[in-house]
């Protein structure tokens, strides 16, 4: 199979990516305990993977309220900004590019992670049927409270401040996390959003917060440096919609009108079947004027086939980047791949993080 298309350059706004391979956001829960600031180990992990055409950072909370898992990094304190400078500096020294993924988990949290031990926030007071990680291991998420209407501007302001902090930290751009059942996705989907005010009910109302967040970030970053992640049919973290095409097409059209650089789309169930529910992903691509990053269970062969057929512009790989720091070279050579060790995915030290061998070391 002619693999050249996978390694051809791509112009993403004003950035020239050296290949079509994107490192997907990967939560690894190895930020500094106590501050949730990135550290030298994190910088080395990302540096090893800088040959990706574009790295999208692990999901990064915009505030303490936005945190849902133990030891995930933030971008709201000075220590966190300084920590991220180590990461962006290491990647740029290797000639790489990195966008930060900005995250608010909403109801997918636990009171032990919240300011003052309070309740997580959500569009509606509906507990998600899912679990999270705390100091005590895996636990059920806490019951959330519904955000008051007067609190929503604060959420938007937190996104804007985080975007400004990301610029200070040296990132090349921003990805809005509006997928996988986290806060913005909770507002989009009618299974988790039962509001009757301006942020609930109609499709126009349910997409409102995501569009407002995009507008706030576009006040800080040029549109060519802003993307968004979406998961229209993924049931991750118990976020379900009865008619996803009726929600996600208007959302993507609104974002396209604003000139966002890309949509990063999880096709199917996150980390699961690609065909869990029917959805017109090809139509979604056509509804958007920018680049389309395809994600979910892509192999080398499926990536090449998808790019050659014009169904995507870029392909995001997740777990394969965990275990293959030189994934780009391995895909180019069609070389064997290291298998990831799931028991070291979350938390810990360099084991299963920075110690996977490169091709020449294997």
């Amino acid at each position: 199979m002619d693999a050249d298309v996978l390694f051809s350059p791509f112009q993403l706004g004003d950035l020239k990516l050296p290949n079509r391979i994107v490192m997907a956001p990967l939560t690894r829960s190895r930020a500094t305990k106590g501050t949730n600031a990135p550290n030298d180990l994190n910088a080395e992990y990302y540096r090893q993977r800088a040959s990706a055409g574009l790295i999208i950072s692990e999901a990064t909370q915009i505030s303490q309220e936005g945190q849902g898992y133990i030891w995930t990094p933030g971008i709201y304190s000075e220590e966190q900004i300084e920590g991220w400078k180590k990461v962006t500096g290491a990647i740029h020294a290797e000639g790489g590019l990195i966008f930060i993924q900005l995250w608010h988990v909403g109801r997918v949290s636990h009171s032990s992670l919240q300011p003052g031990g309070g309740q997580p926030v959500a569009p509606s007071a509906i507990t998600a049927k899912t679990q999270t990680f705390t100091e005590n291991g895996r636990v059920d998420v806490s019951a959330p409270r519904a955000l008051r209407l007067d609190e929503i501007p604060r959420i938007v302001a937190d996104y804007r401040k985080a975007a400004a902090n990301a610029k200070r930290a040296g990132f090349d751009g921003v990805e809005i996390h509006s997928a996988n059942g986290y806060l913005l996705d909770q507002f989009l989907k009618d299974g988790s959003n039962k509001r009757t005010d301006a942020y609930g009910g109609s499709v126009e109302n349910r997409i409102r917060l995501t569009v407002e967040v995009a507008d706030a970030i576009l006040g800080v970053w040029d549109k060519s440096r802003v993307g968004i992640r979406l998961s229209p049919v993924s049931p991750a973290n118990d976020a379900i919609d009865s008619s996803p095409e009726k929600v996600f097409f208007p959302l993507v059209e609104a974002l396209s009108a604003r000139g966002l650089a890309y949509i990063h789309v999880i096709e199917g169930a996150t980390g699961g079947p690609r065909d869990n529910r029917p959805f017109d992903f090809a139509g979604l691509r056509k509804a958007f004027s920018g680049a389309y990053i395809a994600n979910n269970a892509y192999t080398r062969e499926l990536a090449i086939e998808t790019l050659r057929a014009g169904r995507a512009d870029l392909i995001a790989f997740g777990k394969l980047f965990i275990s293959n720091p030189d994934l780009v070279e391995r895909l180019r050579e069609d070389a064997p791949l290291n298998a990831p060790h799931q028991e070291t995915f979350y938390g810990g030290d360099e084991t299963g993080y920075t110690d996977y061998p490169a091709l020449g070391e294997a």
Side-chain angles (χ1 to χ4, degrees):
M1 186 178 285
D2 183 1
D4 288 353
V5 65
L6 192 53
F7 306 99
S8 61
F10 182 77
Q11 194 71 36
L12 182 68
D14 61 342
L15 294 172
K16 187 172 184 179
L17 311 189
N19 56 62
R20 307 295 184 101
I21 297 165
V22 174
M23 178 175 161
L26 295 160
T27 293
R28 306 302 309 276
S29 295
R30 283 171 169 84
T32 304
K33 297 175 185 180
T35 64
N36 290 327
N39 51 54
D40 291 339
L41 184 64
N42 305 144
E44 173 60 14
Y45 166 77
Y46 281 105
R47 185 200 65 76
Q48 291 176 349
R49 290 154 179 80
S51 59
L54 175 66
I55 293 174
I56 303 168
S57 83
E58 63 205 275
T60 302
Q61 56 261 13
I62 61 169
S63 61
Q64 187 185 345
E65 177 193 80
Q67 183 175 6
Y69 304 85
I70 200 72
W71 309 321
T72 54
I75 187 68
Y76 54 90
S77 76
E78 289 301 317
E79 284 174 292
Q80 292 161 1
I81 294 167
E82 291 304 310
W84 277 119
K85 284 179 181 178
K86 295 179 180 180
V87 173
T88 59
I91 292 168
H92 293 153
E94 298 288 337
L97 297 165
I98 182 169
F99 279 33
I100 189 172
Q101 189 187 64
L102 297 182
W103 192 29
H104 191 307
V105 300
R107 67 181 186 167
V108 185
S109 187
H110 189 268
S111 58
S112 65
L113 298 169
Q114 291 293 304
Q119 286 180 281
V121 298
S124 302
I126 303 169
T127 305
K129 298 182 182 71
T130 191
Q131 293 188 311
T132 187
F133 286 98
T134 71
E135 294 275 10
N136 297 317
R138 184 183 282 273
V139 297
D140 291 341
V141 298
S142 298
R145 65 174 181 83
L147 279 163
R148 301 188 311 271
L149 194 60
D150 65 348
E151 291 181 288
I152 290 179
R154 170 180 62 76
I155 299 282
V156 176
D158 285 345
Y159 274 99
R160 182 185 174 93
K161 182 66 183 296
N165 288 345
K167 186 171 277 193
R168 289 176 55 204
F171 283 94
D172 299 296
V174 166
E175 178 175 285
I176 302 163
H177 196 348
S178 185
N180 290 348
Y182 298 118
L183 183 68
L184 299 182
D185 201 32
Q186 292 160 28
F187 271 85
L188 294 173
K189 292 178 175 172
D190 58 14
S192 47
N193 185 348
K194 305 297 184 183
R195 300 176 76 95
T196 57
D197 59 17
Y199 292 88
S202 69
V203 168
E204 179 185 12
N205 285 352
R206 282 186 281 139
I207 71 173
R208 189 183 307 278
L209 179 57
T210 301
V211 173
E212 286 181 352
V213 166
D215 285 340
I217 291 171
L218 290 169
V220 177
W221 285 89
D222 185 84
K223 61 189 178 183
S224 67
R225 301 295 186 97
V226 181
I228 190 167
R229 195 182 207 198
L230 306 170
S231 56
V233 295
S234 178
N237 291 313
D238 196 30
I240 309 292
D241 192 79
S242 59
S243 301
E245 287 180 1
K246 292 181 179 177
V247 179
F248 283 88
F249 275 73
L251 173 62
V252 162
E253 287 161 3
L255 298 172
S256 182
R258 287 161 170 79
L260 262 66
Y262 67 78
I263 52 173
H264 176 188
V265 183
I266 298 169
E267 298 169 342
T270 306
R274 292 175 49 78
D275 57 355
N276 66 312
R277 272 183 83 176
F279 189 86
D280 184 9
F281 290 107
L284 195 71
R285 170 165 162 70
K286 289 175 184 170
F288 186 69
S289 58
Y292 182 98
I293 303 177
N295 183 307
N296 202 26
Y298 271 83
T299 61
R300 181 180 189 272
E301 292 70 27
L302 182 58
I304 293 167
E305 175 194 331
T306 298
L307 292 171
R308 290 187 67 81
R311 296 196 299 270
D313 298 296
L314 301 157
I315 307 292
F317 294 89
K319 290 187 180 73
L320 292 183
F321 259 117
I322 288 178
S323 53
N324 297 277
D326 57 346
L327 182 63
V328 173
E329 181 184 356
R330 288 174 185 261
L331 293 176
R332 191 189 303 275
E333 300 295 328
D334 199 12
L337 300 173
N338 299 322
H341 307 304
Q342 187 150 359
E343 67 274 12
T344 60
F345 278 4
Y346 306 111
D349 53 19
E350 67 274 6
T351 305
Y353 190 58
T354 57
D355 64 349
Y356 284 102
L359 194 55
E361 304 162 351

